[in-house]
Amino acid sequence: MRWKIKTNPDLQKVKELATTLGVEIPVAKLLVQRGIETFEEAKSFFRPNLVNLHDPFLMKDMVLAVDRIQLAFSKQENIMVYGDYDVDGTTAVALMYSYLLTDYKQVTTYIPDRYKEGYGVSYMGIDFASDNDITLIIALDCGIKAINKVAYAKKKGIDFIICDHHRPGDKIPEAVAVLDPKREDCKYPYDELCGCGVGFKLIQALAIKKGQDFEELIPYLDLVATAIAADIVPMTGENRILAYHGLKVINANPRSGIKAIIQQLDKKQLTITDVVFVIAPRINAAGRMKHGLNAVELLSEKNLVKAIDFAAAIEKNNVDRKKLDKKITEEALAQIIENKEEDNYTSVVYQEDWHKGVIGIVASRLIETHYRPTLVFTKSGDKLAASARSVKGFDVYDALYECAEFIEQFGGHKYAAGLTLKLENYHKFKAKFEEVVKNSIPEALRTPEVQIDTELFLSEITPKFYRIINQMAPFGPHNMHPVFMARGLRDNGYGKRVGSDQSHLKLNIFSGADSKTYNSIGFGLGDKFSMVKSGKSFEAAFNVGENYWNGITSLQLLLKDIREEELC
């Protein structure tokens, strides 16, 4: 693993901020690294305020979108809320559907079948709308590239409002309104919203237009926070504000569907990490294993008893998903070995019976073993479909663009994308993708990196320090949980390998002449035990967390990596 220590910020700025806020130097350093240099900036960071959300009408086409929805209300049109089958899509549909229903009853939902229709706006969905006299479709978390499908709908007398956050192509669909802050001609101040976030801006605009108090929108923020966490968008700007207040809703008074998921947890306060690893996978499991509409039903249900029934069915989907992704990961790893591709620059694997719903998860799992851009293909109708995942710093979307001659359709982000291609183009694509990545990826990006914020003395790790670090939450891209580094460390002799396969490392670390030890756990670091046992001093990269044992809470170092001390 590569260790990369962030550049030290301006020391004078750090000292001034430390004095202004009354905090220790390491805390001030973390804040200045994140662009926080004044009292006011610190106040906004530690206490995100909903009043700092941008005016939704700054987004291009917002007036057109609001006017078209109000026209639909006045003309008694049937409206369909359409979304992708992942967490961002299903939460966005639940949000828009629930909000519209408060004023208007002629609204229905539609999530494309992952296997019959695939990602995004589908002809089948448009035909369904036509057959049911629906004349307005609000598409969420998809649609920015649906040029032909929007045109097809128009011929059938169906208008589209698109709420997306993916990168547009060379052309924008000829919809009534296209809300996407990533449009080049959109001057909206923040372009990192998720799909559900764009949907929230639309309901915010609708609320403003009808004179509704913003307070009435706060109950929808549990959905927005869940989408922000699951879609791994930057935890900055509006996303930070929405996630911060959305977490408050989740912990204080979540909607019945989310309450049904979390009520089995033995935890008083949920964090963004809990949303990512507990709530989001269960919502996702519906779309992966059965149908995304199941998730929308759960998230829209107001009756807790019914929501608990929905959640139980989705929990079964999640258990099935775990078994399946473990099996397919093992098969994919075996395929890489069988093809003698362990030393490739990419992992591209295919098997026609792999479950389409879990290939994205499998791609991420493969990167844990072979750290490189990865695509997992399966059969989807008469074509092949794939999920792509990348490594830190490498833009897989750009790499796929270079392979466009062999691709039927693709879309996504820097680190995750989806695509389809014809079976006869699979090997040509695979060779081209390997070539593109080989010629463009810097050598350093082929090794996992731990990015260290700042160096610490163990004595600086106190309960007060931990409390302040915790107040920097919610954590996520561009505001990651701080990683620290300490030197001159030793174990007190009670360190050991733990876990059923002895793959983890449990240490009691101290530094220098200070006899105070710090309980530490390193998951997956069991192979470093011999280095610790040798008695040589070592360096550690770690987060600061808490350990709960026998009713006692204590600080714990969560080791990211350890290495022999480098002598200066």
Side-chain angles (χ1 to χ4, degrees):
M1 184 173 284
R2 288 180 296 119
W3 291 29
K4 184 178 180 181
I5 303 174
K6 290 182 181 177
T7 304
N8 279 323
D10 185 287
L11 185 57
Q12 188 59 36
K13 290 181 179 179
V14 171
K15 287 180 177 178
E16 288 175 1
L17 188 63
T19 301
T20 301
L21 301 181
V23 297
E24 301 299 325
I25 289 293
V27 173
K29 188 183 286 188
L30 290 172
L31 295 174
V32 175
Q33 282 177 333
R34 285 160 167 74
I36 299 156
E37 300 179 2
T38 67
F39 176 84
E40 286 303 318
E41 288 170 345
K43 182 180 176 183
S44 295
F45 179 76
F46 283 112
R47 298 289 180 268
N49 197 322
L50 290 166
V51 301
N52 291 326
L53 293 176
H54 302 302
D55 180 351
F57 288 102
L58 294 174
M59 193 175 294
K60 186 171 177 60
D61 285 1
M62 186 62 79
V63 171
L64 296 173
V66 170
D67 287 349
R68 182 64 185 86
I69 291 171
Q70 291 190 322
L71 178 65
F73 289 174
S74 66
K75 293 175 64 178
Q76 294 289 297
E77 295 179 64
N78 294 324
I79 301 173
M80 185 163 84
V81 182
Y82 187 112
D84 189 23
Y85 37 68
D86 66 2
V87 176
D88 195 13
T90 53
T91 52
V93 169
L95 174 140
M96 185 61 62
Y97 175 64
S98 300
Y99 181 77
L100 294 180
L101 278 181
T102 61
D103 281 326
Y104 191 69
K105 301 306 176 187
Q106 290 171 224
V107 187
T108 190
T109 59
Y110 192 96
I111 303 288
D113 186 284
R114 184 187 287 261
Y115 309 106
K116 294 177 182 176
E117 298 165 81
Y119 166 79
V121 177
S122 71
Y123 289 112
M124 194 181 296
I126 294 168
D127 289 341
F128 176 88
S130 179
D131 292 343
N132 288 276
D133 298 319
I134 289 164
T135 49
L136 176 61
I137 297 175
I138 303 172
L140 296 132
D141 192 35
C142 61
I144 193 62
K145 290 188 174 181
I147 312 283
N148 296 333
K149 288 160 187 170
V150 169
Y152 175 76
K154 198 171 185 179
K155 288 179 181 177
K156 288 179 169 282
I158 300 169
D159 285 341
F160 258 91
I161 293 172
I162 292 170
C163 302
D164 207 345
H165 70 119
H166 297 96
R167 295 188 202 179
D170 295 333
K171 293 182 179 179
I172 299 292
E174 292 185 6
V176 169
V178 179
L179 308 178
D180 188 335
K182 287 190 173 70
R183 286 180 62 167
E184 287 187 7
D185 58 351
C186 181
K187 305 304 180 186
Y188 191 73
Y190 188 71
D191 66 357
E192 294 292 354
L193 293 167
C194 62
C196 189
V198 177
F200 182 80
K201 299 309 292 188
L202 177 51
I203 71 168
Q204 186 187 359
L206 288 165
I208 290 171
K209 194 68 182 282
K210 68 180 184 180
Q212 186 178 14
D213 192 329
F214 184 86
E215 291 293 314
E216 294 180 44
L217 302 184
I218 290 175
Y220 297 93
L221 293 181
D222 54 359
L223 293 171
V224 183
T226 300
I228 288 169
D231 226 47
I232 320 179
V233 288
M235 197 62 74
T236 57
E238 283 194 307
N239 284 340
R240 179 171 173 80
I241 296 170
L242 294 167
Y244 178 87
H245 288 278
L247 270 176
K248 283 189 170 184
V249 176
I250 288 172
N251 282 307
N253 189 28
R255 65 192 50 243
S256 295
I258 290 178
K259 187 182 290 185
I261 293 174
I262 64 178
Q263 68 174 6
Q264 59 191 350
L265 298 178
D266 183 23
K267 196 166 186 183
K268 293 179 181 177
Q269 283 287 111
L270 268 68
T271 66
I272 275 289
T273 302
D274 297 315
V275 176
V276 172
F277 292 105
V278 177
I279 297 176
R282 284 160 175 79
I283 295 171
N284 240 338
R288 292 183 188 283
M289 305 305 294
K290 292 293 181 182
H291 201 287
L293 272 176
N294 294 353
V296 173
E297 288 175 339
L298 170 69
L299 297 172
S300 305
E301 181 56 59
K302 292 183 178 180
N303 183 289
L304 181 58
V305 175
K306 290 182 180 178
I308 289 170
D309 288 340
F310 284 137
I314 284 177
E315 179 60 28
K316 182 181 183 305
N317 293 338
N318 193 46
V319 171
D320 293 342
R321 186 270 306 166
K322 287 180 181 178
K323 292 176 182 175
L324 203 55
D325 82 57
K326 183 176 184 293
K327 173 179 176 288
I328 295 173
T329 299
E330 290 170 353
E331 292 173 349
L333 287 169
Q335 189 177 119
I336 290 170
I337 294 170
E338 184 181 337
N339 293 339
K340 298 180 180 175
E341 294 170 343
E342 297 99 314
D343 298 325
N344 279 19
Y345 282 74
T346 65
S347 294
V348 180
V349 291
Y350 161 62
Q351 192 162 301
E352 67 174 28
D353 63 348
W354 283 343
H355 198 292
K356 190 178 176 185
V358 299
I359 56 176
I361 299 174
V362 172
S364 297
R365 297 261 192 268
L366 294 181
I367 289 176
E368 294 172 9
T369 303
H370 299 289
Y371 190 76
R372 58 203 189 190
T374 298
L375 285 96
V376 179
F377 280 89
T378 188
K379 191 85 179 289
S380 180
D382 60 349
K383 293 186 174 68
L384 304 191
S387 279
R389 297 291 182 270
S390 194
V391 296
K392 186 176 181 179
F394 186 78
D395 195 325
V396 73
Y397 183 95
D398 285 349
L400 291 173
Y401 186 81
E402 294 296 315
C403 306
E405 62 188 297
F406 302 117
I407 298 174
E408 294 292 297
Q409 184 181 1
F410 77 100
H413 309 284
K414 181 175 182 176
Y415 293 123
L419 66 147
T420 58
L421 49 77
K422 294 178 180 176
L423 175 59
E424 58 265 31
N425 286 331
Y426 171 71
H427 289 292
K428 295 173 190 173
F429 166 82
K430 182 173 179 175
K432 179 69 174 179
F433 186 67
E434 172 74 11
E435 177 191 333
V436 167
V437 174
K438 183 176 181 180
N439 292 335
S440 60
I441 191 168
E443 189 61 31
L445 298 188
R446 300 184 67 206
T447 305
E449 173 189 278
V450 56
Q451 195 165 75
I452 296 162
D453 291 273
T454 189
E455 196 169 333
L456 275 184
F457 294 109
L458 293 187
S459 58
E460 294 176 301
I461 303 170
T462 64
K464 178 186 175 183
F465 175 79
Y466 176 69
R467 284 196 301 273
I468 295 173
I469 294 301
N470 254 6
Q471 289 172 25
M472 294 173 69
F475 298 111
H478 301 291
N479 183 45
M480 298 300 287
H481 201 295
V483 178
F484 303 104
M485 174 185 173
R487 303 177 191 267
L489 308 178
R490 285 188 170 82
D491 179 69
N492 69 355
Y494 288 94
K496 59 184 177 180
R497 298 179 71 162
V498 295
S500 58
D501 56 358
Q502 300 285 286
S503 62
H504 310 311
L505 188 61
K506 187 170 177 58
L507 303 176
N508 291 288
I509 291 173
F510 69 96
S511 176
D514 187 351
S515 61
K516 178 176 170 56
T517 60
Y518 291 78
N519 178 281
S520 310
I521 185 76
F523 296 106
L525 297 181
D527 59 350
K528 302 287 182 91
F529 182 57
S530 58
M531 179 184 72
V532 174
K533 197 176 178 182
S534 71
K536 294 178 182 177
S537 63
F538 58 88
E539 302 170 342
F542 56 90
N543 302 124
V544 179
E546 285 184 324
N547 182 48
Y548 307 92
W549 180 251
N550 284 343
I552 298 173
T553 301
S554 60
L555 294 181
Q556 183 178 56
L557 308 188
L558 308 173
L559 303 174
K560 311 280 282 186
D561 194 22
I562 62 173
R563 67 184 185 187
E564 286 188 17
E565 182 152 32
E566 293 184 353
L567 300 176
C568 298

